[in-house]
Amino acid sequence: MKAIEANVDGLIGPTHSYAGLSPGNLASGRNKGEASNPRAAVIQGLEKMKALADLGLPQFVLPPQERPDIPFLRSLGFAGSDAAVLERAWKEAPSFAAAACSASAMWAANAATVTPGADSADGRVHFTPANLTTNLHRSLEHRQTQRSLRALFPDPDLFAVHDALPSVGHLADEGAANHVRLCAEHGAPGVNLMVWGREAFEAWDGAFPARQTREASDAIMRRHEASGAVLARQGRAAIAGGTFHNDVVCVGALDTLFFHEMAFEDTAATQAAIRAAARGFEPVFVEVSAADLPLGDAIGSYLFNSMLIQVPGEDRLSLICPVETQENDRSRAVAEGLVASNGPIGVVRYVDVRQSMRNGGGPACLRLRVVLTEAELDAVYDPMRMNDDLFAVLTDWAGRHYRDRLFPADLADPALLIETREALDSLAAILDLGGGFYPFQREGF
Ligand code: SUG
């Protein structure tokens, strides 16, 4: 079966900010309290989407979620008008209020785990939205994510959009950030490498949280009836060093797995299990040693949080890195070495997603990969497909609705609540999402 890899990127929301909400994500902690530029952020994301579409890969947008999340704050007992709810929450429970304002749904790699039809027993594309239970602000995403995915992939004969796993720590799930699919070609059966940080009943004593449990990874493979599952433990030392998702130190595409020496607790066993599960191809492992690239440089420069893609018409793979990789001498040397060698990665391209990077989100975090056959691609909801027209419309829309400077304290501003709703109401019309896509549209403006 012929298939192609599409990218679905989170459109960055108007409340993009640096609130320091993610322990173990070093960039999030480091930039806490700084001013963000939501307008620059959304434009950077749009330009990346446009660049990928221009390379010939199908590109779709996932709309931002409604933030501040007033229904969440009401569920905590804050009552009155929406503005009063926001004001009281910021006064009485500022950490919860900050969580309710986060634009974190932008990192679509965490939206869901995806199993293409080539690997699922019923031949449909399966999605499990991630429950993201480890961090409060992210745990608020999965219901609206499910709604977005159902809008984008509407035909139940082709697509199965499941509920998230139960929202408990035992089943903590962070979606495709901990999943890599390897295969001979996209439409052929693959190896589904699921990387987990801790076990459900393990007493976890790491300094930073391990966000994915083995049991969550296992349950997703089971409910998708996925073939080729390989479960591997994330390196404990990597988590302690700031690897909050495996995709901070590992990326793969087609037959190639590109990873840092510390990514897995047991590298040899992981490679052996991948080899044993691979059907019809010999996996290619490109490992970077800690001597060539210390973990701190890998995390600071996000060499591995790059998109590894096959550009139509090109022989070797392309690595789409953030400009921070280029600015780090060691990371740039590794990237240049890849191209100079006769290995599977032939081109390195750089993109500017600095606004997202300052919250620990690189090019790979911003996208969810979905392998689709031609018939499936035809069934994806077209108004959400990126092309020159949508790029122009959304760039104009962002210019009209987004602020260019936002401190976390500004999130308490009731005017921002109105602004974001106006922006999202207008976006829902642009993307033809229907009147009740956002909670505020269903419950009154
Ligand atoms: O979950 N940052 C996100 C970054 C997600 C990156 N995704 C992948 N690696 N796939 C997170 O830690 C920071 C928000 C703040 O601090 O305001 C945040 O949520």
Side-chain angles (χ1 to χ4, degrees):
M1 187 79 82
K2 244 187 97 52
I4 189 159
E5 187 177 80
N7 290 302
V8 181
D9 276 46
L11 187 62
I12 296 170
T15 60
H16 161 66
S17 50
Y18 301 123
L21 302 177
S22 287
N25 170 345
L26 304 182
S28 158
R30 198 170 41 240
N31 294 308
K32 178 177 181 170
E34 297 288 315
S36 61
N37 183 338
R39 194 186 301 160
V42 67
I43 301 292
Q44 288 169 1
L46 282 166
E47 282 174 349
K48 175 171 96 70
M49 290 187 233
K50 169 93 162 57
L52 269 291
D54 288 348
L55 287 173
L57 299 182
Q59 176 71 55
F60 298 90
V61 297
L62 213 55
Q65 302 199 357
E66 175 183 332
R67 296 289 182 272
D69 188 340
I70 297 293
F72 166 63
L73 296 177
R74 285 192 188 281
S75 77
L76 304 181
F78 296 109
S81 68
D82 289 347
V85 165
L86 191 62
E87 195 190 329
R88 271 194 61 197
W90 274 103
K91 213 174 281 161
E92 294 172 33
S95 300
F96 285 87
C101 292
S102 176
S104 55
M106 64 201 268
W107 295 295
N110 307 116
T113 305
V114 186
T115 301
D119 297 347
S120 70
D122 67 4
R124 292 188 296 168
V125 185
H126 288 253
F127 302 82
T128 288
N131 60 27
L132 295 165
T133 55
T134 302
N135 288 305
L136 175 65
H137 66 295
R138 305 225 57 183
S139 72
L140 307 177
E141 297 172 27
H142 67 86
R143 278 186 204 85
Q144 186 69 15
T145 297
Q146 183 185 49
R147 186 178 279 272
S148 297
L149 291 173
R150 286 197 170 143
L152 190 55
F153 302 104
D155 184 346
D157 290 336
L158 299 176
F159 307 114
V161 180
H162 299 269
D163 290 338
L165 291 174
S167 291
V168 289
H170 300 80
L171 293 168
D173 171 28
E174 298 273 323
N178 295 317
H179 171 225
V180 181
R181 182 171 185 268
L182 300 178
C183 52
E185 51 183 324
H186 293 305
V191 174
N192 289 290
L193 174 63
M194 301 287 283
V195 183
W196 52 274
R198 66 177 167 89
E199 294 188 308
F201 294 96
E202 177 179 348
W204 178 255
D205 56 3
F208 293 140
R211 295 198 196 179
Q212 182 90 25
T213 67
R214 182 172 65 73
E215 288 78 357
S217 302
D218 214 14
I220 291 166
M221 291 293 93
R222 193 160 46 231
R223 59 156 56 166
H224 291 189
E225 295 188 89
S227 57
V230 168
L231 271 68
R233 183 168 198 144
Q234 220 183 333
R236 283 193 189 82
I239 299 174
T243 306
F244 56 98
H245 292 132
N246 177 59
D247 71 2
V248 172
V249 287
C250 171
V251 62
L254 296 170
D255 60 0
T256 300
L257 191 70
F258 176 49
F259 62 99
H260 189 270
E261 178 185 347
M262 292 171 72
F264 307 109
E265 190 63 24
D266 185 341
T267 306
T270 304
Q271 289 178 322
I274 292 170
R275 274 198 198 96
R279 279 177 290 159
F281 71 102
E282 187 57 40
V284 179
F285 297 110
V286 182
E287 179 176 350
V288 178
S289 70
D292 283 344
L293 187 67
L295 183 67
D297 288 84
I299 293 173
S301 70
Y302 264 33
L303 168 67
F304 298 94
N305 198 262
S306 300
M307 299 173 67
L308 190 56
I309 56 167
Q310 173 143 63
V311 174
E314 291 183 7
D315 287 347
R316 293 161 81 198
L317 297 171
S318 276
L319 195 66
I320 314 287
C321 299
V323 286
E324 285 80 353
T325 296
Q326 199 173 18
E327 290 164 0
N328 178 298
D329 291 342
R330 291 193 179 106
S331 286
R332 193 181 59 250
V334 172
E336 285 170 0
L338 292 171
V339 176
S341 78
N342 230 358
I345 301 170
V347 184
V348 176
R349 296 173 157 96
Y350 294 99
V351 291
D352 178 356
V353 289
R354 285 187 198 277
Q355 284 288 319
S356 168
M357 281 288 289
R358 299 183 75 220
N359 255 337
C365 299
L366 287 162
R367 62 90 177 96
L368 182 66
R369 300 192 278 187
V370 185
V371 168
L372 298 165
T373 63
E374 218 164 284
E376 289 160 354
L377 182 59
D378 281 347
V380 183
Y381 192 59
D382 203 50
M384 291 157 89
R385 184 164 183 162
M386 183 54 63
N387 53 32
D388 290 353
D389 287 347
L390 186 59
F391 176 76
V393 170
L394 290 180
T395 303
D396 172 66
W397 165 83
R400 278 184 292 114
H401 291 286
Y402 280 53
R403 297 190 186 186
D404 61 5
R405 194 171 162 81
L406 195 67
F407 284 99
D410 299 332
L411 296 166
D413 179 2
L416 185 67
L417 173 73
I418 306 296
E419 284 167 39
T420 59
R421 287 182 174 185
E422 282 170 357
L424 297 183
D425 203 45
S426 155
L427 179 70
I430 292 169
L431 299 179
D432 218 351
L433 292 167
F437 183 74
Y438 287 111
F440 73 86
Q441 294 179 311
R442 301 195 287 276
E443 283 145 27
F445 214 88

